[in-house]
């Protein structure tokens, strides 16, 4: 793969936050940059803003003054599109409106040479549709940078239906030469990150809408048990509820109302009320000066059981628990050998404690059940969620709480929602990723890279699926599908096939 000529000019059209960020990335890579905006004076204003940011980097010791001055000498605001005629690459970052983008690129085609690479930074529109009116759509690609572009490493390189493979390769090589991490993907709604990230928000919102747990508790469980950097409620408050809801609705519409992408009514009500998050002072949480941020529901200290029963062999992800329980001084009675039956722990009064399988604890298999949530790593996680069935007594719940507290965990007892919080979220993320890989949206490596770098997931979803076991993920989804008929949780064909292969090798 050969990048564009390093001596060639890079033009950025649109001098807003994203356009400025892309321009700064190209400048940092040693490129000459022309910055254009249709609003008079906006390009010059943006150039001054970039200069100020580079100045702050100098103040922090991340850039020397000579490097700043040299970069600014290569930054050239343009007053007219005609000034972009000698560009080797033009990247558009204007308003997310299809007709506006089509009109811009039609004008650009009459200005730049035929070998100039044209790119859109769209995050929600079809790259194929934007290029649809062009004379030479083969040289058109999507280059989706993530905000803030100078800091975030990921760039999605999107192939439209008419994009020439050589153009996509050149675009990928170019952003790699700029120090970014490119991932190649097909022109599908949401590309990789915005398509695959929907369950992270949707499942949390659904648990809240069903009265399973409050936003602060759901966020805490996903952070402290699931290993995510931020919970979905605090993250959408940061992004803006209007922005996140718009992306969700866009993907939902683009997939012709596929139930897997159904938007959240609770989030829609926030948007209608103008409670958009940090930028308005209130969203899921309050941000006004002096406002008290609610904390997660955390169980009071309980006495751990002196002894527990251990039945059958646990799933691989739960394997460390027996050793952890014994290290905590709790006697474990039971065989380590595998059996036909599903693994569970017996509490002193006879209640069964086990990892959620996707179904609700009520009705259980006759007796009292308590489900616990999936963890990224049971040794290092600091919180666990429990969902007791209606048949579980207060003593049963206290014993389960005390057991996990003895392992050093904070415990959140939530309502009996199928799949709890982390397990249902991760199962859906794995399924979405398997589906995308099976449909050729992107390579398996690029899918995991995109989700780690684009949204800071602790693991790529495909890697996570391998760790959990695809047969168990499939089982969780089947359990959820039983509780929620309608297709939302039906495992994808790709996941079912790969789980069947995995099962045949066991």
């Amino acid at each position: 793969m050969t990048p564009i000529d390093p001596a060639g000019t890079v033009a950025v059209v649109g001098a807003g936050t994203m356009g400025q960020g892309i321009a700064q990335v190209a400048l940092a890579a040693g490129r000459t940059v022309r910055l254009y905006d249709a609003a008079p004076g906006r390009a010059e204003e943006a150039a001054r803003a970039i200069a100020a940011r580079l100045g702050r980097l100098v103040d922090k010791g991340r850039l020397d003054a000579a490097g700043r001055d040299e970069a600014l000498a290569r930054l050239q605001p343009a007053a007219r599109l005609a000034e972009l005629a000698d560009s080797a690459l033009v990247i558009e970052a204007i308003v997310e409106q299809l007709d506006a983008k089509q009109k811009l690129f039609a004008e650009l085609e009459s200005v730049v040479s035929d070998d100039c690479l044209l790119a859109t930074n769209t995050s929600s529109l079809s790259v194929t549709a934007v290029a649809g009116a062009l004379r030479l759509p083969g040289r058109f690609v999507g280059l989706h940078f993530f905000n803030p572009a100078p800091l975030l490493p990921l760039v999605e390189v999107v192939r439209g239906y008419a994009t020439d493979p050589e153009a996509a390769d050149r675009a990928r090589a170019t952003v790699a030469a700029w120090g970014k991490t490119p991932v190649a993907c097909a022109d599908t709604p949401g590309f990789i990150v915005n398509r695959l990230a929907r369950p992270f928000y949707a499942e949390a919102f659904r648990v809240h809408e069903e009265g399973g747990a409050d936003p602060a508790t759901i966020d805490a469980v996903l952070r402290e048990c699931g290993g995510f950097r931020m919970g979905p409620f605090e993250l959408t408050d940061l992004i803006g509820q209007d922005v996140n809801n718009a992306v969700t609705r866009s993907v939902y519409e683009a997939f012709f109302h596929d139930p897997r992408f159904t938007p959240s009514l609770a989030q829609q009500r926030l948007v209608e009320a103008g409670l958009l998050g940090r930028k308005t002072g209130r969203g899921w949480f309050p941000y006004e000066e002096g406002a008290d941020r609610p904390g997660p529901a955390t169980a009071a200290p309980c006495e751990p059981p002196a002894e527990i029963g251990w039945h059958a062999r646990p799933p691989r992800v739960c394997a460390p628990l027996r050793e952890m329980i014994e290290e905590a001084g709790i006697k474990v009675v039971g065989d380590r050998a595998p059996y036909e039956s599903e693994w569970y722990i017996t509490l002193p009064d006879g209640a069964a404690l086990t990892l959620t399988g996707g179904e609700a604890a009520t009705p259980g298999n006759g007796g009292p059940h308590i489900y616990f949530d999936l963890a990224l790593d049971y040794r290092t996680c600091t919180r666990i969620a429990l969902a007791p069935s209606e048949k579980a007594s207060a003593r049963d719940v206290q014993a389960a709480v005390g057991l996990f507290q003895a392992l050093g965990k904070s415990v959140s007892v939530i309502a009996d929602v199928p799949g709890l919080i982390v397990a249902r979220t991760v199962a859906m993320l794995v399924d979405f990723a398997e589906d995308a890989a099976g449909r050729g949206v992107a390579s398996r490596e690029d899918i995991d890279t995109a989700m780690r770098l684009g949204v800071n997931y602790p693991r790529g979803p495909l890697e996570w699926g391998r760790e959990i076991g695809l047969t168990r993920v499939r089982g969780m989804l089947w359990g959820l599908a039983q509780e929620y008929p309608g297709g939302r949780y039906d495992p994808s064909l790709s996941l079912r096939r790969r789980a069947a292969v995995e099962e045949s090798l066991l």
Side-chain angles (χ1 to χ4, degrees):
M1 294 188 295
T2 304
I4 63 167
D5 184 353
T9 297
V10 175
V12 178
V13 179
T17 301
M18 182 55 78
Q20 292 176 30
I22 295 170
Q24 185 175 331
V25 170
L27 286 172
R31 304 305 190 260
T32 295
V33 176
R34 289 212 177 91
L35 186 58
Y36 170 80
D37 196 284
R42 184 72 182 274
E44 289 81 1
E45 179 184 334
R48 290 192 291 272
I50 293 170
R53 280 198 293 274
L54 294 180
R56 288 193 290 274
L57 292 178
V58 172
D59 293 340
K60 294 176 181 178
R62 298 178 185 171
L63 179 69
D64 59 41
R68 173 200 59 196
D69 295 342
E70 195 271 334
L72 292 177
R74 289 184 276 104
L75 178 59
Q76 303 167 3
R80 297 175 298 115
L81 273 182
E83 296 176 48
L84 311 184
D86 64 343
S87 300
L89 167 65
V90 180
I91 305 175
E92 162 274 318
I94 66 171
V95 64
E96 284 286 271
Q97 294 176 1
L98 179 60
D99 56 350
K101 292 181 188 291
Q102 288 178 326
K103 181 175 182 293
L104 168 66
F105 282 109
E107 293 174 358
L108 278 168
E109 268 204 315
S110 66
V111 171
V112 300
S113 65
D114 285 357
D115 61 354
C116 175
L117 195 62
L118 300 179
T120 175
N121 183 60
T122 185
S123 61
S124 61
L125 298 176
S126 163
V127 171
T128 303
V130 177
L134 292 182
R135 176 174 55 85
L136 298 173
R139 47 124 165 226
F140 191 85
V141 299
L143 285 179
H144 180 215
F145 289 76
F146 287 75
N147 193 31
L151 297 180
L152 295 184
L154 188 72
V155 179
E156 292 176 320
V157 181
V158 187
R159 309 178 306 274
Y161 274 49
T163 301
D164 292 334
E166 181 188 4
D169 287 346
R170 286 175 63 208
R172 185 167 185 167
T174 297
V175 295
W178 293 0
K180 294 298 183 181
T181 303
V183 291
C185 63
D187 185 16
T188 184
F191 309 141
I192 302 175
V193 172
N194 279 330
R195 172 177 173 156
L196 270 58
R198 294 352 291 164
F200 179 67
Y201 311 108
E203 295 309 310
F205 296 163
R206 188 158 185 166
V207 169
H208 171 55
E209 289 171 347
E210 293 174 0
D214 61 273
T217 299
I218 295 170
D219 274 0
V221 171
L222 282 162
R223 283 195 316 268
E224 300 172 39
C225 182
F228 293 93
R229 186 168 298 184
M230 295 181 74
F233 294 93
E234 59 188 341
L235 180 56
T236 52
D237 270 355
L238 179 63
I239 295 169
Q241 299 302 331
D242 52 341
V243 175
N244 183 263
N245 184 59
V247 172
T248 299
R249 297 191 70 84
S250 172
V251 173
Y252 178 60
E253 295 290 339
F255 277 110
F256 306 107
H257 296 187
D258 185 322
R260 297 178 302 160
F261 298 97
T262 303
S264 162
L265 179 60
Q267 186 182 43
Q268 178 65 25
R269 290 292 180 260
L270 279 183
V271 175
E272 292 168 348
L275 304 177
L276 307 183
R278 289 181 179 273
K279 62 187 176 185
T280 60
R282 184 172 287 267
W284 296 110
F285 303 114
Y287 299 94
E288 303 96 336
E289 187 175 351
D292 289 330
R293 173 90 174 257
T298 302
C302 294
E303 190 71 23
E307 178 180 302
I308 58 100
W310 190 271
H311 302 271
R313 185 174 64 179
R316 186 168 62 243
V317 290
C318 295
L321 285 175
R322 179 168 183 145
E323 187 175 338
M324 292 167 62
I325 292 169
E326 291 174 334
E327 288 170 355
I330 298 169
K331 184 178 181 181
V332 179
V333 178
D335 198 340
R336 295 174 185 266
Y339 294 94
E340 292 291 329
S341 59
E342 183 71 14
W343 168 79
Y344 62 96
I345 289 170
T346 305
L347 297 172
D349 286 356
L353 174 68
T354 192
L355 175 66
T356 176
E359 70 282 354
T362 306
N365 297 323
H369 278 67
I370 301 173
Y371 284 134
F372 62 85
D373 212 343
L374 177 70
L376 177 70
D377 183 329
Y378 284 103
R379 277 208 172 271
T380 60
C381 76
T382 57
R383 182 176 296 271
I384 201 77
L386 302 178
S389 71
E390 291 182 2
K391 293 183 179 180
S393 69
R395 280 171 53 88
D396 293 329
V397 175
Q398 289 165 2
V401 169
L403 174 64
F404 279 104
Q405 287 175 339
L407 306 185
K409 317 302 180 188
S410 299
V411 179
S412 293
V413 179
I414 68 172
D416 182 18
V417 288
L420 283 85
I421 297 169
V422 179
R424 68 191 284 169
T425 299
V426 171
M428 288 291 279
L429 289 172
V430 172
D431 188 52
F432 272 45
E434 286 288 352
D435 183 52
R439 292 174 184 270
V441 171
S443 72
R444 301 179 71 83
E445 180 182 358
D446 277 359
I447 285 171
D448 274 354
T449 297
M451 301 312 288
R452 286 196 309 269
L453 298 184
V455 276
N456 291 311
Y457 284 1
R459 280 197 186 114
L462 297 172
E463 177 192 2
W464 218 333
R466 292 192 299 273
E467 176 67 21
I468 299 167
L470 293 181
T471 53
R472 178 160 292 273
V473 173
R474 181 189 60 189
M476 286 182 182
L477 292 169
W478 276 342
L480 286 161
Q482 256 190 326
E483 304 286 356
Y484 303 104
R488 179 185 178 103
Y489 298 102
D490 290 345
S492 66
L493 178 61
S494 180
L495 175 64
R496 296 199 310 272
R497 284 174 172 166
R498 292 180 66 84
V501 171
E502 177 188 88
E503 198 169 33
S504 70
L505 298 175
L506 294 178

